Amino acid sequence: MASAGGAGADHSPPPRSLVFAFYLTGHGFGHATRAIEVVRHLIAAGHEVHVATAVPEFVFTAEVRSPRLRIRRAILDCGAVQADALTVDPLATLEKYREAAVVARESILMAEAEWLSSIKAELVVSDVVPIVCRVASDLGIRSVCIGNFSWDFIYAEYIMEAGYHHRSIVWQIAEDYSYCDILPTTWIYGPMPAFRNVIDVPLVVRGLRKSRSEVRKELGIEENAKVLVFNFGGQPAGWKLKQEWLPDGWICLEKLDMELQVRVLACKLPLVFVHRDYFNEEPFCEICLRLKHFLSLNYARTHVYIDVLKCLHALSHHILFQYYQSSIEMIRSDFLAGHWKPYLLRALTLQPCYNGPINGGEVVAQILQDTAVGKKCISDKSSGARRLQDAMVSGYVVQRAPGRDAGIPDWYSLSETETGAGPTSKNAATKESAASSRCIEDFEILHGDLQGLTDTIDFLKSLSELSGNDLMSPKKQRLERTAASVLFDWETEIYVARAPGRLDVMGGIADYSGSLVLQMPLREACHVAVQRNHPSKQKLWEHTKARRLENAGLVPVVQIVSFGSDLSNRAPTFNMDLSDFMDGGKPISYEKARELFCQDPSQKWAAYVAGTILVLMTELGAQFTDSISILVSSAVPEGKGVSSSASVEVATMSAIAAAYGLNIIPRDLALLCQKVENHVVGAPCGVMDQMASACGEANKLLAMVCQPAEVKELVSIPTHIRFWGLDSGIRHSVGGGDYGSVRVGTYMGRKMIKCAASDLVSESLTSGPPVQSDGYKENGMGVLKSEAALEYLCNLPPHRYEAVYAKDIPEVISGEAFSEKYGDHNDTVTVIDPKRSYSVKAPTRHPIYENFRVEAFKTLLEAGNTDEQLSALGELMYQCHNSYSACGLGSDGTDRLVNLVREMQHRKTSEGGSPSLFGAKITGGGSGGTVCVIGKNCARSCEEIAEIQRRYKAETGYLPILFDGSSPGAGKFGYLKIRRRCP
């Protein structure tokens, strides 16, 4: 990439005064701080600058007072909408951008063209408003963007998380950016392939205005007082600060204006920071800070100001900031609880040592002048766009966890020949095989068997790489890998467990109603490595050490690293004292634990992992006096409806049980893991996910009756039949409102049936056999009594439901009306909202008929090898899918995939041939996620699956992930006990 500001550069002044139009995003004050430093140099050079922004005018006029600076209020983008100072709302952001820049696009193009013409602009500068690049191009004016990231990349993650229907926004933004002539950026950046020419510049840092003594005198602060500046970059905090959060004698200044944002790196000031959700640059830059909201310490050094947002985007808290000894991280739960003292005291021991260039404002101003008069600022080296694309692709490659293939988003995808992502050559495959062999040799396997599982070999390879990790090696600079490299004592045994995801072939949400279910363990699995150490020998992370300063004695801790965190915007690490799980010598309640993990949304994921410890303490009386180190690496993608959470829970509990010598049979382990999800996480799932992950076997369907969890048999999949999973791209969550409300409606229906049966029994006892009662005439008093005590809806046959109860089950009922008439719905994991209306009839009917369908499906699997058999199996799957939709658990994406399978099947039939695909259905909790497809086990079926993927992508822009293959469950795998061999 070309660079600016070096020796030999032509910085001759322009022949005349120039007119610059400077567009500035209104997202926070960091962009404005950077812009002010650039504008200052342009004004000093005699130019005229017109700023168009939503940032308040005083932000500029307080720093630059000149008649050549004009401020115009304009809202042309929205940045990121924040639910609070630490959390971005992805869907609200996309919807607000649509209103601000998409709906009004034509009027914006016309208005800005008119304004630029009126001021006779000679260069358009954008930080980083997309649409103005297009306006400038239409007028024949050059444009320059300034930034470390672009909104197309930031919004891409929001689209995948919450608003796929807004994907056209990203494409339009990228197209607008492509009209830009030059992009000056600091030497750390996110992927911005839309820009053609990119040039490196130093950090943009504003110079000194006042001395340390002047600032302290102005603020009335004693010369030697220790000062904490509490800053949110222009975002209101919403918290009340308390003096007891600070060490004795400290002063805290809470400032929301940019004028008191502190120059952190340039002035060698220590930094304490907190993680923020949805900061998407880090996985690609690898040394890019996640958070602009921070605590900055100002003690015994000059108090000056900086473009904080620029600085924080450019420098990593765990790599670059720590490399320059400038920062430590405060975990969000401690931040919110006011446990600040140990972090602040530890920050005093830091010795910041950054001495890099900070004259970016001057350099950028010169680039703008040169561009405006037609000078070339880019060298003849590879274009910035090419290098940025390479960096972007490398970022995706780096973030691939073992066994996990992270696909590049469509709007950034390159051809296989460009990225080198094509088929592996024979030579490369040989090298990979040799590397795998070496990694196995690095460990002595004291117990267990690899069972030929390549993903387990890959996981051991990742452990082998960690044990020899060079922290400053570019390949190892990811936060999660850095944390993992110091997680284990390599001279002590490590326990490894493996648990697969599952494909819901039949049964789905009927599990919590006691249905028979058929589940296939997937090839994709989660690996967890666990090590126990005496607290005196436990390796601790920096922020864990900081917290230790105020805790006397040795306290066992749990430290967790989760690989792949950057794919889902969660914090990559979690740690806590195990004593936090105790209250008065007893384990804390599940409710308190749920509140503990919910304090920090970015670390809520840890409930799935650490929650297993609490459940073992509560249910089995297990005691944990040693510290526990846990590494989680999952290839089961999240939000796809294939039990990513269950695989994490089962693998974690299996590894912990092995490390502590707890003998738990797979069925009991699955039930304990369900408690983790129901009570600690708070997701109202049934038990089939955990059972499939724990008890399943490769290439077999786990046939289980969920009353509560009885394995009926393992059904071998006939050799002529094959199952696939196709992901719709619509995120699924069992913690979502649709799943929970359907479960409530189901339990309401069960309560209504029980009450109706009880009424019939009472009527019979008081007035004799009811002549008109179909129930009594057909089956007698014994059946009615059993139905009055009905524990599982699936024990009610369909014909009984239709003959006796269906007519009295309402379509919908409000929570208030139900509670008044029936009281509680008797479900321990859901709560009725009195103000909400619940669908009842469809959720009640579904499990009753689904259990019948699953029984028929299982019986048909054992029938002969005929198309009629496959057609009947497919029909049962179609019926199941339609029933999900009737419950309100369908989605456009899953409906389209099922319809594509049906179209493929009917096309083959109409052509006079035999179909290869025979049926499909939505899986798991529904409302998106994955579709299960049944077909012949032949090459033509695979070709048709690939065609469905292509057609779905052509219609939606999303290429479905394919789940194909099976592997053993956690019980069948057992565990590995390994130890690093001595060199």
Side-chain angles (χ1 to χ4, degrees):
M1 185 177 294
S3 62
D10 181 9
H11 292 332
S12 57
R16 58 182 175 79
S17 175
L18 302 171
V19 178
F20 294 90
F22 205 129
Y23 288 91
L24 183 65
T25 181
H27 180 68
F29 288 160
H31 295 263
T33 310
R34 172 172 59 212
I36 287 171
E37 186 64 15
V38 175
V39 168
R40 185 194 314 279
H41 286 281
L42 291 176
I43 295 293
H47 304 304
E48 183 178 319
V49 181
H50 296 255
V51 177
T53 183
V55 175
E57 183 174 343
F58 75 86
V59 172
F60 297 90
T61 57
E63 289 290 307
V64 180
R65 296 179 177 86
S66 171
R68 293 192 298 276
L69 173 62
R70 314 284 178 82
I71 310 296
R72 165 183 167 242
R73 180 167 177 78
I75 301 177
L76 304 179
D77 68 359
C78 68
V81 177
Q82 294 185 218
D84 56 45
L86 296 174
T87 307
V88 170
D89 187 329
L91 183 57
T93 298
L94 294 171
E95 290 175 346
K96 187 173 181 179
Y97 186 89
R98 179 179 177 278
E99 290 298 319
V102 177
V103 175
R105 181 175 178 82
E106 293 305 318
S107 61
I108 290 174
L109 291 171
M110 293 176 59
E112 296 313 306
E114 182 178 345
W115 180 68
L116 291 173
S117 298
S118 70
I119 65 172
K120 298 180 173 57
E122 294 167 274
L123 184 73
V124 170
V125 186
S126 176
D127 182 359
V128 269
V129 181
I131 194 171
V132 298
C133 300
R134 176 59 183 269
V135 177
S137 177
D138 290 345
L139 294 176
I141 304 173
R142 287 191 169 194
S143 62
V144 176
C145 284
I146 303 174
N148 301 71
F149 68 92
S150 54
W151 291 118
D152 53 337
F153 168 63
I154 299 299
Y155 288 170
E157 178 66 23
Y158 298 176
I159 286 170
M160 299 305 294
E161 174 65 21
Y164 201 73
H165 55 290
H166 286 306
R167 60 188 179 277
S168 60
I169 287 176
V170 170
W171 300 332
Q172 184 64 70
I173 291 175
E175 180 182 339
D176 287 342
Y177 281 143
S178 69
Y179 290 98
C180 172
D181 291 275
I182 289 179
L183 172 71
T185 187
T186 55
W187 41 276
I188 306 298
Y189 49 82
M192 296 179 282
F195 295 93
R196 293 172 292 164
N197 297 314
V198 181
I199 187 167
D200 290 338
V201 297
L203 293 179
V204 180
V205 178
R206 288 186 291 156
L208 293 171
R209 301 292 180 270
K210 299 177 182 179
S211 69
R212 172 186 181 276
S213 297
E214 288 174 329
V215 171
R216 290 194 169 227
K217 182 177 180 180
E218 181 180 314
L219 297 176
I221 299 173
E222 295 182 3
E223 190 69 18
N224 295 324
K226 291 183 173 58
V227 179
L228 167 72
V229 177
F230 185 62
N231 189 283
F232 289 88
Q235 292 290 337
W239 298 299
K240 293 183 179 179
L241 307 184
K242 298 179 181 179
Q243 184 63 41
E244 57 263 30
W245 296 357
L246 305 176
D248 293 339
W250 281 59
I251 297 172
C252 179
L253 301 179
E254 182 180 9
K255 294 293 180 181
L256 301 182
D257 61 292
M258 69 161 190
E259 188 59 26
L260 279 178
Q261 292 182 343
V262 183
R263 180 199 300 236
V264 178
L265 196 71
C267 289
K268 302 179 182 179
L269 298 176
L271 174 76
V272 182
F273 60 88
V274 186
H275 168 77
R276 185 186 73 175
D277 301 328
Y278 294 107
F279 196 82
N280 304 324
E281 296 90 325
E282 186 181 74
F284 303 88
C285 304
E286 293 199 345
I287 47 175
C288 172
L289 188 60
R290 289 176 180 266
L291 177 63
K292 70 175 181 183
H293 308 310
F294 63 91
L295 307 174
S296 179
L297 296 170
N298 178 11
Y299 68 98
R301 287 185 173 89
T302 302
H303 187 147
V304 291
Y305 312 121
I306 186 177
D307 168 5
V308 175
L309 182 60
K310 180 77 171 182
C311 176
L312 296 186
H313 274 250
L315 302 167
S316 164
H317 53 296
H318 270 81
I319 304 301
L320 200 57
F321 260 114
Q322 287 193 357
Y323 178 71
Y324 291 116
Q325 304 178 49
S326 297
S327 75
I328 59 173
E329 178 184 5
M330 180 187 295
I331 61 175
R332 194 187 298 190
S333 58
D334 283 347
F335 171 73
L336 296 174
H339 298 156
W340 295 6
K341 293 180 183 179
Y343 298 96
L344 302 182
L345 293 174
R346 185 165 185 81
L348 288 176
T349 67
L350 299 177
Q351 297 180 338
C353 57
Y354 177 74
N355 293 308
I358 57 175
N359 64 327
E362 177 184 0
V363 173
V364 171
Q366 185 65 51
I367 292 172
L368 299 182
Q369 292 179 146
D370 292 346
T371 304
V373 297
K375 289 186 178 179
K376 184 177 181 181
C377 299
I378 300 296
S379 72
D380 293 329
K381 298 178 181 179
S382 299
S383 73
R386 173 69 266 171
R387 288 171 173 248
L388 279 169
Q389 287 175 332
D390 292 342
M392 181 244 344
V393 173
S394 298
Y396 270 106
V397 171
V398 168
Q399 74 176 345
R400 286 192 175 109
R404 179 179 196 144
D405 186 16
I408 298 174
D410 297 335
W411 38 81
Y412 290 137
S413 62
L414 302 174
S415 70
E416 290 182 347
T417 55
E418 288 180 287
T419 63
T424 306
S425 68
K426 181 178 179 180
N427 190 34
T430 302
K431 291 180 179 179
E432 182 70 19
S433 176
S436 297
S437 299
R438 285 196 301 272
C439 86
I440 296 173
E441 293 173 359
D442 287 341
F443 290 102
E444 181 181 2
I445 299 180
L446 305 175
H447 177 275
D449 183 5
L450 295 174
Q451 301 183 27
L453 294 166
T454 57
D455 60 343
T456 303
I457 295 172
D458 287 340
F459 181 69
L460 292 185
K461 180 181 178 182
S462 71
L463 288 179
S464 175
E465 292 172 347
L466 290 174
S467 65
N469 191 14
D470 175 4
L471 294 186
M472 290 314 298
S473 169
K475 185 178 180 182
K476 308 299 181 186
Q477 286 181 349
R478 292 172 60 210
L479 171 58
E480 60 191 36
R481 296 194 66 84
T482 303
S485 68
V486 294
L487 186 64
F488 297 120
D489 177 357
W490 298 107
E491 297 180 357
T492 303
E493 293 85 0
I494 298 173
Y495 296 81
V496 177
R498 177 190 185 278
R502 66 95 187 95
L503 183 63
D504 168 33
V505 175
M506 288 293 287
I509 60 167
D511 62 341
Y512 55 73
S513 295
S515 178
L516 174 69
V517 298
L518 297 174
Q519 306 296 306
M520 185 180 80
L522 288 171
R523 179 183 58 189
E524 291 77 10
C526 173
H527 286 82
V528 172
V530 167
Q531 185 180 75
R532 54 185 293 192
N533 282 301
H534 188 274
S536 63
K537 297 181 179 180
Q538 177 69 26
K539 295 182 178 181
L540 298 176
W541 297 322
E542 291 299 316
H543 53 271
T544 309
K545 292 178 182 177
R547 197 168 63 241
R548 278 290 176 86
L549 290 176
E550 65 177 1
N551 292 332
L554 294 174
V555 179
V557 300
V558 57
Q559 295 188 139
I560 307 170
V561 176
S562 173
F563 278 174
S565 59
D566 39 23
L567 295 178
S568 56
N569 277 289
R570 64 172 182 266
T573 63
F574 175 85
N575 72 92
M576 64 179 290
D577 295 340
L578 282 173
S579 59
D580 291 342
F581 274 154
M582 301 297 293
D583 183 11
K586 297 181 179 180
I588 63 174
S589 68
Y590 291 143
E591 183 179 1
K592 286 186 177 180
R594 188 161 60 250
E595 293 174 355
L596 173 68
F597 289 112
C598 286
Q599 287 180 354
D600 182 352
S602 70
Q603 293 188 325
K604 188 176 179 180
W605 63 269
Y608 295 97
V609 183
T612 62
I613 299 172
L614 178 62
V615 168
L616 290 172
M617 294 167 63
T618 303
E619 306 298 331
L620 300 185
Q623 297 183 0
F624 299 94
T625 56
D626 288 339
S627 292
I628 308 174
S629 298
I630 304 175
L631 174 62
V632 181
S633 178
S634 182
V636 186
E638 299 174 29
K640 308 302 183 185
V642 290
S643 300
S644 59
S645 59
S647 65
V648 169
E649 294 156 357
V650 171
T652 301
M653 189 173 287
S654 298
I656 292 174
Y660 282 84
L662 302 175
N663 186 17
I664 310 173
I665 63 173
R667 174 191 178 275
D668 292 348
L669 187 136
L671 288 169
L672 291 170
C673 289
Q674 185 196 18
K675 289 183 180 294
V676 175
E677 189 140 2
N678 285 171
H679 303 302
V680 182
V681 177
C685 69
V687 74
M688 75 172 188
D689 295 357
Q690 290 80 8
M691 285 291 291
S693 188
C695 305
E697 292 187 15
N699 300 311
K700 294 181 180 180
L701 298 183
L702 179 73
M704 178 187 72
V705 178
C706 303
Q707 300 188 16
E710 308 306 325
V711 176
K712 196 169 184 179
E713 63 181 299
L714 288 160
V715 182
S716 295
I717 300 173
T719 56
H720 67 285
I721 293 178
R722 189 168 180 175
F723 296 101
W724 298 266
L726 286 173
D727 166 45
S728 65
I730 299 173
R731 189 174 180 85
H732 153 82
S733 171
V734 296
D738 291 340
Y739 180 92
S741 66
V742 169
R743 176 166 176 148
V744 170
T746 303
Y747 276 82
M748 284 178 167
R750 188 192 68 166
K751 184 65 172 286
M752 292 175 181
I753 289 171
K754 292 175 67 176
C755 289
S758 295
D759 290 343
L760 289 173
V761 170
S762 299
E763 181 182 339
S764 299
L765 292 175
T766 57
S767 58
V771 178
Q772 300 302 321
S773 170
D774 293 335
Y776 187 86
K777 287 193 303 181
E778 186 176 344
N779 293 284
M781 181 68 71
V783 173
L784 285 176
K785 286 184 177 180
S786 68
E787 291 167 355
L790 187 66
E791 185 175 2
Y792 296 101
L793 264 179
C794 290
N795 290 339
L796 183 67
H799 78 277
R800 285 288 297 166
Y801 170 74
E802 294 294 346
V804 183
Y805 304 108
K807 61 183 181 298
D808 295 322
I809 303 295
E811 294 286 345
V812 177
I813 191 172
S814 70
E816 182 179 17
F818 176 87
S819 298
E820 288 179 357
K821 184 173 182 179
Y822 297 99
D824 191 18
H825 66 324
N826 303 127
D827 181 20
T828 59
V829 297
T830 58
V831 177
I832 295 175
D833 182 353
K835 297 181 180 179
R836 181 169 184 173
S837 293
Y838 293 91
S839 175
V840 178
K841 191 153 197 168
T844 302
R845 188 179 189 275
H846 174 80
I848 295 171
Y849 279 85
E850 181 68 2
N851 185 57
F852 178 80
R853 285 189 289 263
V854 182
E855 293 279 7
F857 194 96
K858 176 178 173 295
T859 301
L860 281 168
L861 277 176
E862 300 170 356
N865 178 2
T866 65
D867 282 2
E868 288 75 14
Q869 174 208 27
L870 282 163
S871 295
L873 292 169
E875 175 59 28
L876 291 171
M877 295 179 74
Y878 287 139
Q879 289 181 17
C880 173
H881 180 78
N882 293 337
S883 187
Y884 262 76
S885 298
C887 291
L889 293 176
S891 73
D892 292 342
T894 50
D895 286 348
R896 186 60 192 134
L897 283 171
V898 170
N899 287 336
L900 285 171
V901 172
R902 186 181 288 111
E903 290 171 14
M904 193 73 67
Q905 177 186 2
H906 291 169
R907 186 181 75 186
K908 294 294 182 182
T909 303
S910 63
E911 292 173 353
S914 174
S916 298
L917 303 180
F918 288 86
K921 61 176 281 288
I922 195 171
T923 62
S927 297
T930 295
V931 160
C932 177
V933 182
I934 186 172
K936 291 180 179 178
N937 186 15
C938 62
R940 191 172 66 181
S941 294
C942 296
E943 293 171 359
E944 291 180 0
I945 289 290
E947 182 180 343
I948 289 172
Q949 288 179 280
R950 291 191 295 271
R951 289 180 61 184
Y952 188 82
K953 179 181 178 181
E955 295 178 15
T956 68
Y958 178 80
L959 180 66
I961 295 173
L962 175 64
F963 298 100
D964 185 13
S966 184
S967 68
K972 197 71 174 177
F973 178 82
Y975 68 90
L976 300 178
K977 181 180 178 181
I978 62 174
R979 182 172 54 209
R980 180 80 177 182
R981 295 183 188 275
C982 297

